[in-house]
Amino acid sequence: MSVLTLRPVDPARDAAVVHAWFRHPASAFWAMDGLDLTGTRDYLAGVVAHPHQDGWLGLVDGGPTFLVETYDPACVLLAGVHDAAPGDLGMHLLVAPPLGTPVHGLTSAVMAATMRHCFDTLGASRVVVEPDVRNTRIAVKNALAGFRVLREVDLPGKRATLAVCTRDDFAASPLGAPDGGFADLQPGGAASARASDPLTTAVAR
């Protein structure tokens, strides 16, 4: 069975791989395709240095496979838009764009691992997301993780779907099951994991 892990983003080390992900058409909802390598490194450095944001690189069997950003929605992006409660944690998720043979179940496994990271490692009481309303594929994935849509909101550069997920919501969801979304992930596929299933896009931006 493949192993998913998360570590803090290292802007100098991770900029090249993240830059390639940003430039791929599948990552269009992140709107980062105009950044060059230096711009990507500076962007990641800004996230890491910000007092209310953090960046995480996700690995599948040691290979870079997804990027997670977490933030305080009371201070970043949703300030004045979302009535943040204590313990709310904003989250963005970018899975590496598909490059080859799909690995069935990867995106579900990545989402499950990310949610557990938010709840168990970072101590969130509730995870908040605000994907572009046009990103219908993430709407399906969010529902599988237990997110409940609150309303649509206007944010810089997009009309967004504001949704929240509590610990209990996630635990009761299909992705919150004990296997964590790993049951359908084929083992031994670190290389092909970066070329994953059809939902492997800018899934939560």
Side-chain angles (χ1 to χ4, degrees):
M1 180 176 289
S2 294
V3 176
L4 277 72
T5 56
L6 289 96
R7 62 163 174 79
V9 162
D10 180 332
R13 176 182 177 184
D14 301 328
V17 67
V18 174
H19 177 244
W21 297 348
F22 281 169
R23 290 181 60 83
H24 195 282
S27 302
F29 285 117
W30 276 64
M32 297 289 189
D33 57 316
L35 294 179
D36 60 10
L37 180 58
T38 299
T40 300
R41 184 171 60 247
D42 291 346
Y43 170 78
L44 294 175
V47 171
V48 170
H50 197 285
H52 301 294
Q53 297 185 76
D54 288 293
W56 314 89
L57 195 77
L59 312 172
V60 174
D61 295 337
T65 307
F66 59 104
L67 174 69
V68 177
E69 294 176 352
T70 53
Y71 65 93
D72 181 350
C75 303
V76 177
L77 190 60
L78 293 175
V81 175
H82 167 59
D83 187 14
D88 276 5
L89 183 70
M91 184 269 286
H92 296 144
L93 173 61
L94 172 69
V95 184
L99 299 174
T101 304
V103 176
H104 182 65
L106 175 70
T107 306
S108 290
V110 165
M111 176 67 90
T114 298
M115 295 297 285
R116 287 193 168 86
H117 180 69
C118 290
F119 288 127
D120 299 338
T121 303
L122 303 182
S125 298
R126 191 168 65 162
V127 178
V128 183
V129 295
E130 21 66 32
D132 192 297
V133 295
R134 297 168 296 172
N135 195 344
T136 55
R137 287 179 286 187
I138 188 52
V140 174
K141 192 61 61 177
N142 283 346
L144 287 174
F147 280 93
R148 295 175 289 108
V149 173
L150 299 181
R151 64 186 183 278
E152 291 186 2
V153 297
D154 288 315
L155 297 177
K158 67 180 180 182
R159 179 75 173 172
T161 301
L162 182 65
V164 298
C165 180
T166 67
R167 288 175 177 266
D168 288 343
D169 292 335
F170 176 63
S173 75
L175 297 190
D179 62 40
F182 288 88
D184 294 329
L185 183 60
Q186 299 302 312
S192 58
R194 290 186 291 277
S196 52
D197 68 35
L199 289 173
T200 309
T201 60
V203 293
R205 187 77 173 191

